[in-house]
Structure formats: C-alpha cells, structure tokens
Amino acid sequence: MSYKEFKVEDFVQDAWFRTWVNGNDPDSNVFWEKWLLENPKERKKIEQARKIVRSLSHLEEPMPMDRKKAVWKAISANTVKPYHVHKRPHKERINEELRYWLRATLKLAAAFLFIMATVYVFTAIRDSVNEFKMAENSKPDLFQKETALGQRISFRLPDGSLVYLNSGSKVIYEVGQGGVSREVFLQGEAFFIVNKDEKRPFKVFANATEITALGTEFNVKIGNADSTTEISLVEGTVEVVNLASENKDRLYLNEGERAFLVPSEKTMTKSIFDIGLVTFWTNGLLLFEDTSILTVKEILEQWYGIQIVFQNKHEADLKVTGRFDNEYLGNVLQSLSYTVRFDYEVKDKTVYIKFKQQ
C-alpha cells in the first residue's frame, strides 16, 4: 500500500516512519523530508502520527522514581495486620507469619502498581489527545511554489522575503502559529534574499540540513544525483546545522563562504567561492568555466527541460567554457559545437550529440 493511502494509525505502525520520528537514521530524514515536499496535503496526518509515536515512546520508559515511592508508601500504610493462628512451635509459627506477610504485601503491591500504571498510561494518552485538539485549532498556513524543468521564477514570500526558484525546484513556506516562525522546505535550488526580523529567524530545511538567517542573501542547491547540499553565502551570516550527524554539527558562514554537506556520509566542510559564479543564474545567465562536460549536460537538461544523449565516448577530462545571456537552446548548442567539437541533432525534447574524433 502506498504511503499516500495511509491513515494516521498506519503511519504509527510503520517501522520506517517511527525511525524518522525517533531521529535514529539520517537516510530516513532525507526520505521523509522529500516525501513531505512532494505530498504537502499529507502533512496534517504526518504531524498527528508523529505526536502519537512520541507519546508512545514515553510509555516505553520505566515508571518514574517518585511514582514508585508513592506506590510503596501506600502499600506500607494499607497493609493489614496478620490474623491469629493456632499455637505451634515457636519457629514454625514465625515462618508462617512471615509467609503470610509476604503474600499479602506482594498482592497489595501488584494491585497498586497496576492502578498507578493505568493512571500513568491514561494521563499520557489524554495529553496526546489534547495536543491533537490544539493542533487542529492552530493549523499552520502553507505557501507553495514549484517550477517545471526549463522554468525559473522569482516571487515574494508572505513575510516579504524574495526567492529566486531555479528550474525543477519546489519550496513550501510554513508561516506557523500566529506568524511566529518562518520556515521553508526546499527541493532543488533557490536563492533567498531574506527580509530581516530579529524576533523571527528565517529557516530553510533542505536534505537533512537546517539553515538559519535573520536578514541575509544566500543560495541553496541540492544535487540531482548525489543528493549533496551546497549553501553559498553572498551577504550577512547564517548558521548551518547538519541534521544527519550524530551531534547535530553546526558551523557559521560569512560572506563569500560555502558549506558543502553529504548527508549519506554525515560530513560537512567549509570553503571559499566566487560570488559571481553562484548568483549568475538568477539573471538568466549560463556560465561555464572549465566545467566538466557531464556537469554541463546536467545543467542544460535542467535549464531547458530537455534530455541529452551522448552517442559516443568523449575525452575523460573534457572541459567547457562559455557564457550565454538568455540564449535559445539552439544558439547555445551551435556555439558549444564549435569549441567542444561535436555534431548534434534535436528531436522533440531530446538532443543527440556525437563527438568528433581527434
């Protein structure tokens, strides 16, 4: 059965879903974040199921010590006196009385433990139900934008922040209760110019990564094939948290610094970058500087919404350099065919490229 057909109770019983809620596996973080981006209408059921899983996880913990002490205090105060027995040898009579005390105490202890455990479970379930009711009355407002392959758009979020969304990308913006929080869930690539608000930090969640900013400009890109995440800071400062790492590793970026994360390897590094090479796409520019032919292929496919097929082998270290300002695909292919030396043919939305032999 597909996850789209799941009810709340189905998610609660699903082992992969519980692994994500309990935060035990970075791969589950990547899967469920992506699934939520693709299925925003299921968010209500997911939030309810998460609350139930968290409530049930508390019930698996041992009873708190203060509750145990209360149980044993009640046992001591309510234990009945031993009945009178017929006179027997002194040692036998003492053993019989001890056995009676032990049986009575164990029975009473079991009864009180059962009552206290029942109250404990009932209280946890009641609190969970109350949380659901509160969640029903305070649903977050969602704002969603998505681009098809070959499409790029710019728009403003409800808080006034400006977003440039690259081809084949999606953002979901969660306003939060009473507009208290500003959270964006990203798939693909986007450039953010954040409207400053010191009381409400702006957060971007992308591929097991959390980025926090107050007022700044930065680019976030998730790789298509390797699922890596790049955060490139153009202006201001941001905090980057690697949610896939065990200790939730974090670092701070200054202007001209980039964070590079690989969730599957739980690694995060920082380096310097050329600001002009990151923001060019927001102005409709295609820029290649000693870029590998495979990366050029991926960019052109995303940029123009096409598929490129290499019909023969090319040099392993083949690099491409070129700059194209809002050019048609035909002009780009014709220019590259001279410098890279290839013939091409366009059929519908597929481009066939055959490299010329040296």
Side-chain angles (χ1 to χ4, degrees):
M1 183 167 62
S2 169
Y3 280 127
K4 288 186 178 180
E5 302 172 3
F6 269 34
K7 298 179 180 178
V8 173
E9 54 267 31
D10 296 323
F11 283 110
V12 172
Q13 298 177 28
D14 186 77
W16 184 235
F17 179 81
R18 293 199 304 272
T19 298
W20 172 58
V21 174
N22 294 325
N24 296 328
D25 183 70
D27 292 336
S28 66
N29 290 338
V30 174
F31 173 83
W32 284 106
E33 284 182 12
K34 182 178 180 181
W35 193 86
L36 277 172
L37 283 171
E38 296 173 349
N39 303 276
K41 294 182 179 179
E42 305 297 317
R43 183 174 296 275
K44 176 182 174 182
K45 288 192 294 185
I46 290 294
E47 290 302 322
Q48 290 183 342
R50 288 178 68 179
K51 287 185 173 67
I52 292 177
V53 171
R54 288 171 177 170
S55 296
L56 293 178
S57 66
H58 293 312
L59 301 184
E60 296 173 358
E61 299 175 356
M63 184 179 291
M65 184 58 66
D66 59 341
R67 293 183 182 271
K68 290 184 179 179
K69 290 181 179 178
V71 171
W72 287 111
K73 184 177 180 181
I75 291 172
S76 300
N78 291 278
T79 303
V80 298
K81 295 181 180 181
Y83 62 85
H84 295 287
V85 296
H86 296 293
K87 289 185 178 181
R88 297 182 183 179
H90 181 68
K91 183 175 181 180
E92 182 179 345
R93 187 169 65 253
I94 292 176
N95 290 338
E96 181 65 25
E97 290 178 0
L98 289 174
R99 283 195 293 272
Y100 171 78
W101 273 87
L102 181 60
R103 286 196 298 270
T105 301
L106 290 175
K107 289 180 180 179
L108 194 55
F112 270 91
L113 286 171
F114 176 77
I115 292 172
M116 295 299 291
T118 301
V119 172
Y120 185 54
V121 172
F122 173 77
T123 301
I125 294 177
R126 181 195 62 193
D127 293 343
S128 179
V129 171
N130 289 337
E131 287 183 4
F132 296 157
K133 290 181 178 179
M134 291 176 62
E136 286 292 322
N137 296 327
S138 59
K139 297 178 182 177
D141 295 325
L142 295 180
F143 178 91
Q144 177 175 325
K145 285 286 186 178
E146 183 175 4
T147 54
L149 290 176
Q151 179 188 22
R152 285 164 298 282
I153 61 174
S154 63
F155 55 91
R156 288 195 179 274
L157 296 171
D159 73 322
S161 297
L162 180 60
V163 179
Y164 292 87
L165 193 61
N166 207 345
S167 170
S169 303
K170 179 194 293 188
V171 294
I172 297 177
Y173 178 91
E174 185 171 302
V175 178
Q177 299 181 17
V180 173
S181 63
R182 302 181 294 170
E183 296 185 349
V184 172
F185 298 86
L186 171 67
Q187 179 180 349
E189 182 175 15
F191 182 79
F192 298 92
I193 301 179
V194 177
N195 204 27
K196 189 172 183 179
D197 188 338
E198 294 182 357
K199 295 182 178 180
R200 300 184 303 163
F202 187 93
K203 292 181 178 289
V204 177
F205 294 91
N207 194 28
T209 308
E210 178 182 338
I211 305 121
T212 304
L214 289 176
T216 188
E217 300 180 15
F218 59 97
N219 193 82
V220 182
K221 180 180 180 181
I222 302 174
N224 293 334
D226 51 12
S227 294
T228 56
T229 306
E230 291 182 18
I231 302 97
S232 305
L233 182 62
V234 174
E235 182 179 308
T237 58
V238 296
E239 177 192 56
V240 180
V241 179
N242 185 1
L243 299 177
S245 63
E246 295 180 0
N247 299 322
K248 302 295 185 290
D249 297 335
R250 67 189 63 216
L251 55 79
Y252 295 89
L253 298 180
N254 294 313
E255 182 177 325
E257 292 182 336
R258 167 187 290 163
F260 187 80
L261 295 91
V262 185
S264 60
E265 300 176 4
K266 304 179 182 180
T267 60
M268 177 169 59
T269 57
K270 184 166 69 171
S271 61
I272 305 298
F273 74 99
D274 185 342
I275 293 177
L277 297 181
V278 170
T279 60
F280 66 89
W281 69 266
T282 62
N283 297 315
L285 296 176
L286 267 176
L287 183 63
F288 304 122
E289 288 192 357
D290 287 331
T291 307
S292 73
I293 189 64
L294 293 178
T295 301
V296 171
K297 174 179 179 294
E298 180 181 310
I299 292 175
L300 291 179
E301 288 178 332
Q302 181 185 25
W303 194 268
Y304 292 101
I306 59 170
Q307 180 182 4
I308 297 177
V309 177
F310 291 160
Q311 294 183 303
N312 61 345
K313 292 184 178 181
H314 55 80
E315 297 178 18
D317 59 347
L318 183 59
K319 304 291 184 180
V320 177
T321 296
R323 176 190 175 97
F324 305 96
D325 188 352
N326 290 298
E327 290 284 357
Y328 292 109
L329 173 62
N331 294 340
V332 174
L333 290 173
Q334 184 174 10
S335 178
L336 292 178
S337 69
Y338 293 127
T339 57
V340 183
R341 293 180 52 78
F342 62 73
D343 295 320
Y344 67 92
E345 181 180 8
V346 181
K347 292 184 178 180
D348 295 326
K349 288 192 174 183
T350 302
V351 178
Y352 297 92
I353 290 179
K354 187 174 183 179
F355 296 95
K356 297 179 180 179
Q357 302 300 319
Q358 298 295 332

